[in-house]
Amino acid sequence: MILYIFLAVCFISNTAEGFCQDRWIQFGDSCYGLIEDDEGWAQAKYLCESRDTHLVTIESAAENDFVKSYARKQAVVTDVWIGASDIWAEGIFRWVGSDTNVTFTDWNAGEPNGISDDENCAELENSVDYLWNDDECTKQQHFMCETRFLSVVVG
Ligand SMILES: [Ca+2]
Ligand SMILES: [Ca+2]
Ligand SMILES: [Ca+2]
């Protein structure tokens, strides 16, 4: 019982702070890492997941603005994979992190156009200020991972 009260007091008297891993950037409840290795989409997805993260899911205009500003700031030299794909049903893009249909979108004009059979993976297209495009999943390029902004109680 005493321990219980002690823990309750600790919880009330301390503040919760969060952190992102080294060089990742926080926005809202998430941390974001732009990985400047060149990988195909499936390998990028795997690499994010192997770090307990997922390819970035962009679910609002505010998050999209953040993600684009991050890519601009990093001055990346390739297009950047994001976590949306229509490999399961042509034309229906889903987020792999949350397993939900894509609702908010920022496709470039005329996209997604699925011009080849393998144009099933979504990216931020460098040459058009990171508007979205569907591209061939085997293309090798940078990618962005997202994970929870971890809250820790500090004394
Ligand atoms: Ca997200
Ligand atoms: Ca497609
Ligand atoms: Ca396209």
Side-chain angles (χ1 to χ4, degrees):
M1 185 61 184
I2 288 170
L3 177 64
Y4 205 73
I5 292 166
F6 174 74
L7 289 175
V9 168
C10 284
F11 185 74
I12 291 163
S13 64
N14 294 328
T15 54
E17 289 185 1
F19 67 91
C20 293
Q21 59 182 285
D22 200 24
R23 291 195 301 275
W24 286 41
I25 297 181
Q26 183 245 338
F27 176 77
D29 293 331
S30 292
C31 299
Y32 301 80
L34 211 174
I35 313 300
E36 296 184 50
D37 295 334
D38 295 327
E39 304 289 353
W41 186 86
Q43 178 69 4
K45 174 178 181 292
Y46 167 78
L47 288 170
C48 289
E49 289 170 358
S50 69
R51 301 164 163 223
D52 198 23
T53 74
H54 55 82
L55 275 174
V56 64
T57 60
I58 304 174
E59 284 144 323
S60 68
E63 187 177 20
N64 190 53
D65 289 346
F66 164 78
V67 163
K68 290 165 75 163
S69 69
Y70 181 20
R72 282 184 205 113
K73 211 170 293 174
Q74 290 292 109
V76 294
V77 293
T78 73
D79 299 333
V80 178
W81 290 129
I82 60 176
S85 176
D86 72 337
I87 48 176
W88 305 281
E90 180 59 28
I92 301 173
F93 280 82
R94 290 179 71 78
W95 291 118
V96 292
S98 53
D99 197 29
T100 53
N101 281 344
V102 170
T103 50
F104 171 84
T105 66
D106 191 25
W107 299 111
N108 193 12
E111 305 293 349
N113 58 356
I115 49 173
S116 80
D117 284 347
D118 187 38
E119 207 165 84
N120 296 326
C121 293
E123 67 186 8
L124 308 174
E125 191 166 357
N126 192 321
S127 62
V128 288
D129 196 28
Y130 307 105
L131 289 170
W132 302 7
N133 174 44
D134 59 335
D135 209 337
E136 297 193 352
C137 302
T138 51
K139 232 177 76 187
Q140 309 273 307
Q141 58 192 29
H142 300 355
F143 54 101
M144 196 181 295
C145 306
E146 176 182 353
T147 191
R148 299 172 310 285
F149 180 59
L150 294 172
S151 285
V152 292
V153 175
V154 294

